[in-house]
């Protein structure tokens, strides 16, 4: 179980950006070993999605495989880490969001961070979660958008793939 990976400083930075009017989706073609494996399941180049509360992308957060010292689950991310391998690419979507919508997401992220989380590796195949805070990246991002009424396509969170955030946005 991963808990407490997000610090008080993270939450302070996120709270300071609640009034900027947007939530940011970071969709990544990471070229990491796990990203390449996910690409085999999805047959798509983009294999990871994160959210950020601020324009400078200082508050990127997602479910991922963990990186020392954090175990797999909800973790902070930095843009440089998402793009460190040759061939990586990043798309950033800026979604209009009210202060209340962003606050609802931040509250949920705080709750997950406090309760603990784990990466839903099995869910990539079975399309299910056996506990509420066990998710994979796109499942988490979509669940947060859905919680705040910002989801711009309809799909069950366990069936959402990173490329859905791009491919289901044609309108």
């Amino acid at each position: 179980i991963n808990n407490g990976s997000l610090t008080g400083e993270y939450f302070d930075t996120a709270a300071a950006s609640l009034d900027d009017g947007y939530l940011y989706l970071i969709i990544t073609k990471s070229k990491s070993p796990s990203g390449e494996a996910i690409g085999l399941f999805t047959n798509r180049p983009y294999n990871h999605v994160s959210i950020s509360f601020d324009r400078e992308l200082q508050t990127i957060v997602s479910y991922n495989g963990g990186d020392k010292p954090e175990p797999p689950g909800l973790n902070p991310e930095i843009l440089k880490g998402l793009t460190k391998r040759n061939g990586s690419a990043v798309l950033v979507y800026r979604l209009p969001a009210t202060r209340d919508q962003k606050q609802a997401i931040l509250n949920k992220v705080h709750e997950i961070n406090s309760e603990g989380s784990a990466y839903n590796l099995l869910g990539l195949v079975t399309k299910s979660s056996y506990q509420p805070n066990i998710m994979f990246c796109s499942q988490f991002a979509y669940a947060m958008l859905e919680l705040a009424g910002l989801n711009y396509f309809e799909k069950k969170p366990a069936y959402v793939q990173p490329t859905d955030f791009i491919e289901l946005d044609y309108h």
Side-chain angles (χ1 to χ4, degrees):
I1 298 246
N2 180 355
N3 67 1
S5 64
L6 302 175
T7 65
E9 182 181 344
Y10 172 89
F11 287 104
D12 291 345
T13 302
S17 67
L18 293 177
D19 289 321
D20 88 340
Y22 297 98
L23 184 73
Y24 303 86
L25 290 177
I26 300 88
I27 305 151
T28 312
K29 176 172 55 171
S30 71
K31 294 298 197 178
S32 68
S34 60
E36 294 291 313
I38 290 167
L40 294 174
F41 285 103
T42 64
N43 199 28
R44 299 285 191 272
Y46 287 88
N47 48 36
H48 187 64
V49 63
S50 313
I51 63 172
S52 181
F53 294 92
D54 67 298
R55 182 176 188 220
E56 292 77 25
L57 306 178
Q58 299 299 308
T59 58
I60 301 173
V61 65
S62 188
Y63 271 67
N64 58 46
D67 193 14
K68 295 178 175 98
E70 293 93 7
L74 180 71
N75 285 303
E77 297 177 320
I78 57 171
L79 191 58
K80 187 175 182 178
L82 295 173
T83 60
K84 65 184 172 189
R85 291 182 173 81
N86 286 340
S88 297
V90 172
L91 298 172
V92 178
Y93 274 40
R94 185 177 73 171
L95 301 175
T98 66
R99 178 182 194 21
D100 289 343
Q101 289 170 315
K102 289 175 74 172
Q103 184 69 63
I105 294 170
L106 186 58
N107 290 347
K108 186 63 175 178
V109 168
H110 191 278
E111 178 184 311
I112 294 168
N113 188 59
S114 297
E115 291 176 354
S117 63
Y119 189 79
N120 190 9
L121 186 59
L122 187 59
L124 292 172
V125 178
T126 65
K127 304 298 180 196
S128 60
S129 285
Y130 298 102
Q131 298 290 326
N133 293 347
I134 298 176
M135 295 184 251
F136 48 85
C137 67
S138 52
Q139 183 180 15
F140 164 73
Y142 186 81
M144 295 303 100
L145 294 181
E146 192 174 51
L147 170 79
L150 294 170
N151 51 318
Y152 52 91
F153 58 89
E154 293 296 324
K155 209 168 187 182
K156 291 182 180 180
Y159 287 86
V160 175
Q161 299 177 5
T163 55
D164 289 341
F165 294 94
I166 304 164
E167 295 173 358
L168 298 179
D169 185 37
Y170 292 134
H171 303 289

